[in-house]
Amino acid sequence: MAPQRFREQFAQIQRSMPDVPLAMGPDDTGEFLYEKGVVLARDGEEARLVEDTVREHFTTFAGLDPDRVRRAGPRTNRTGITRIRVADPGEGGAEGDPAVAGALRSLRTLEGRAGRRMVSRNHIVSIAVNACPGDEPVPLPRTAPPNPAPAATPYDAATAVGVLVVDTGLVRDHRDWPLLARTDGDLETDECDEDGVLRQYSGHGTFIAGLVAAVAPNTDVTVRGTLNDAGAILESEFGEKLFEAVDEGGWPDILSLSAGTSNGRTDGLLGVHAFMEELRTRRTLLVAAAGNNGSATPFWPAAYADLPGWQDTVVSVGALRADGAGAACFSNHGPWVRAWAPGERLTGPLTGFTTPVPYVYQHSTYDDCRYGFSYACTCRHPRHSGALSEPAEGPAKADQVMFEGPAQWSGTSFATPVVAGLVASYMTDRREGDPRAAGGRLLAENTGVAEVRGEDVPALLPPTWTPAAADGPGGGE
């Protein structure tokens, strides 16, 4: 049986959030995850209207109990969002939630009159390699050079660009890497499990910070461990966590975010709307990952880059394959993706140098690319068997490797800090103090082009990045 990464990750995330029953959406297709039995609404009078409307709808909707419709918790501070329970989350399986679907349907007429959304699923927001990962990291020798290589720009505290990374935190030995010697922020809560094995996605935030620092050495990088819990968080909590991240050190020049979710809609996420509105009033540029579902469905908050009012505020980033000529097979795509950068088999720091750490692969590779691409993509190479995959002949023994420093890793998660670094580098080189102006001018002046799904797209290629040979792993079609 071919591996099913989305379903494998569903099980993984559910184990990391045992008190939150989850379902797949929309209905039984693997596009996003959400909390069973709960919907979101804006606090106050609107939440009461949603409750009353859903309760009235359930009175005449067979099989659903109107008495179960009630508030499930207080509003989450500045996000102004309330969880409303519409069913017992312990009932039914993971293949969709009829009660939540019914609650959404009940508000359609009112939403049409109001001209805006009033109710939403409570989605799981995850780091962009989580719900459908680009791949898992591959260990390299300690002497392997970073790719992109460090730029020669000197560090100057007076002009350094502030970059905030909201992710999984830093490994404890991150300062053993010269590029990360000045990096501040939160340490990961648990790098390894009880057996001393590196946890899945441990080092994700460290890898991202290393990419920013390599592309743009004149930066002050801070990493917040907002997504330390297997890289996943409820939408109802995510907006407040973003507020907390910027509160701690102030709004940065650039916010690099390799997390999000699709939701089957084209108007954003209810749970982060207050944060996105606040972002518009600030000078911060949000650089956000487009996601790794190989889909054209908008992925939020990256897709805010295509909404009126946010075009100058958000840069959404897709991943190019290792030769830079086209899209990586896993990358989301579409007109809402504003920029493309290398995101396949980048090389950077994963762990410190103190002690080698074992890692057990979670996902098996495929015989063929799961998205139909013909090049030697990360779906197929390098070959390994994963602990979460069960072939037809029964569970296979998962492959184990040792990490003692650098790694190769792929995903829009990593194309994103490359673009964040390029914007920061532009600010330094042009003495531009406005990060949004720098982002806009970088895209306007860029001459790099790649082909994605038959369309030419802007390709931002760092000068110190080395592409793979066209006929090598990750190379051309």
Side-chain angles (χ1 to χ4, degrees), residues 145-149 321-324 342 344-347 461-469:
N147 188 23
R321 66 189 188 217
D323 68 352
E344 191 174 67
R345 296 188 176 98
L346 299 181
T347 303
L461 307 178
T464 60
W465 170 72
T466 303

Side-chain angles (χ1 to χ4, degrees), residues 29 55 80 183 193 238 252 269 306 350 360 424 428 434:
T29 60
R55 192 174 290 113
T183 303
D193 63 18
F238 185 52
L269 288 178
D306 200 41
L350 184 74
V360 176
T428 296
D434 183 343

Side-chain angles (χ1 to χ4, degrees), residues 162-410:
V163 180
L164 175 63
V165 174
V166 175
D167 208 84
T168 61
L170 293 159
V171 298
R172 64 184 181 279
D173 297 325
H174 66 277
R175 287 203 172 98
D176 288 350
W177 294 87
L179 278 173
L180 298 180
R182 296 188 312 273
T183 303
D184 290 319
D186 305 326
L187 295 180
E188 287 190 8
T189 51
D190 294 299
E191 295 176 22
C192 298
D193 63 18
E194 59 275 7
D195 298 319
V197 176
L198 197 67
R199 294 184 183 275
Q200 194 176 25
Y201 305 119
S202 182
H204 191 262
T206 304
F207 198 92
I208 286 171
L211 292 172
V212 173
V215 176
N218 191 35
T219 49
D220 290 321
V221 182
T222 303
V223 180
R224 290 287 162 234
T226 302
L227 299 168
N228 262 324
D229 191 1
I233 190 172
L234 285 168
E235 179 183 339
S236 57
E237 301 171 3
F238 185 52
E240 181 60 26
K241 291 295 184 182
L242 288 174
F243 275 121
E244 290 175 3
V246 297
D247 283 349
E248 192 156 350
W251 287 80
D253 294 312
I254 300 169
L255 171 55
S256 180
L257 180 63
S258 294
T261 182
S262 59
N263 64 354
R265 296 184 62 105
T266 59
D267 56 356
L269 288 178
L270 203 58
V272 302
H273 185 74
F275 178 82
M276 296 303 296
E277 287 286 354
E278 178 73 12
L279 176 68
R280 282 205 291 193
T281 71
R282 304 286 180 164
R283 61 188 296 276
T284 298
L285 177 69
L286 173 61
V287 183
N292 301 326
N293 302 89
S295 169
T297 301
F299 187 85
W300 307 98
Y304 276 92
D306 200 41
L307 292 186
W310 279 282
Q311 291 97 333
D312 298 330
T313 306
V314 182
V315 176
S316 47
V317 184
L320 296 175
R321 66 189 188 217
D323 68 352
C329 68
F330 51 77
S331 182
N332 286 347
H333 51 92
W336 53 274
V337 182
R338 299 285 302 282
W340 293 78
E344 191 174 67
R345 296 188 176 98
L346 299 181
T347 303
L350 184 74
T351 66
F353 289 104
T354 305
T355 307
V357 183
Y359 178 75
V360 176
Y361 280 105
Q362 301 298 298
H363 304 285
S364 297
T365 45
Y366 295 67
D367 293 332
D368 299 299
C369 174
R370 53 194 161 132
Y371 303 109
F373 281 63
S374 60
Y375 76 97
C377 67
T378 59
C379 296
R380 299 187 287 159
H381 303 281
R383 303 289 293 175
H384 50 251
S385 297
L388 295 174
S389 304
E390 293 189 6
E393 60 272 17
K397 180 176 175 56
D399 292 332
Q400 180 173 302
V401 293
M402 295 294 292
F403 282 100
E404 49 182 334
Q408 280 188 341
W409 212 345
S410 305

Side-chain angles (χ1 to χ4, degrees), residues 61-235:
F61 193 78
L64 298 177
D65 185 354
D67 293 332
R68 287 180 175 170
V69 179
R70 61 184 184 278
R71 302 286 177 96
R75 60 175 288 181
T76 55
N77 303 320
R78 286 165 291 181
T79 63
I81 295 298
T82 294
R83 293 168 65 247
I84 298 175
R85 184 168 170 173
V86 297
D88 181 353
E91 293 181 351
E95 309 296 322
D97 188 330
V100 169
L104 298 179
R105 284 194 298 270
S106 72
L107 270 295
R108 285 177 182 168
T109 300
L110 281 178
E111 288 180 328
R113 292 173 185 164
R116 65 187 177 99
R117 183 162 37 150
M118 301 173 67
V119 66
S120 167
R121 291 179 174 90
N122 193 14
H123 301 88
I124 295 292
V125 178
S126 62
I127 55 180
V129 298
N130 202 316
C132 199
D135 74 347
E136 293 176 82
V138 177
L140 296 175
R142 288 190 179 188
T143 56
N147 188 23
T153 310
Y155 175 75
D156 174 20
T159 62
V161 178
V163 180
L164 175 63
V165 174
V166 175
D167 208 84
T168 61
L170 293 159
V171 298
R172 64 184 181 279
D173 297 325
H174 66 277
R175 287 203 172 98
D176 288 350
W177 294 87
L179 278 173
L180 298 180
R182 296 188 312 273
T183 303
D184 290 319
D186 305 326
L187 295 180
E188 287 190 8
T189 51
D190 294 299
E191 295 176 22
C192 298
D193 63 18
E194 59 275 7
D195 298 319
V197 176
L198 197 67
R199 294 184 183 275
Q200 194 176 25
Y201 305 119
S202 182
H204 191 262
T206 304
F207 198 92
I208 286 171
L211 292 172
V212 173
V215 176
N218 191 35
T219 49
D220 290 321
V221 182
T222 303
V223 180
R224 290 287 162 234
T226 302
L227 299 168
N228 262 324
D229 191 1
I233 190 172
L234 285 168
E235 179 183 339

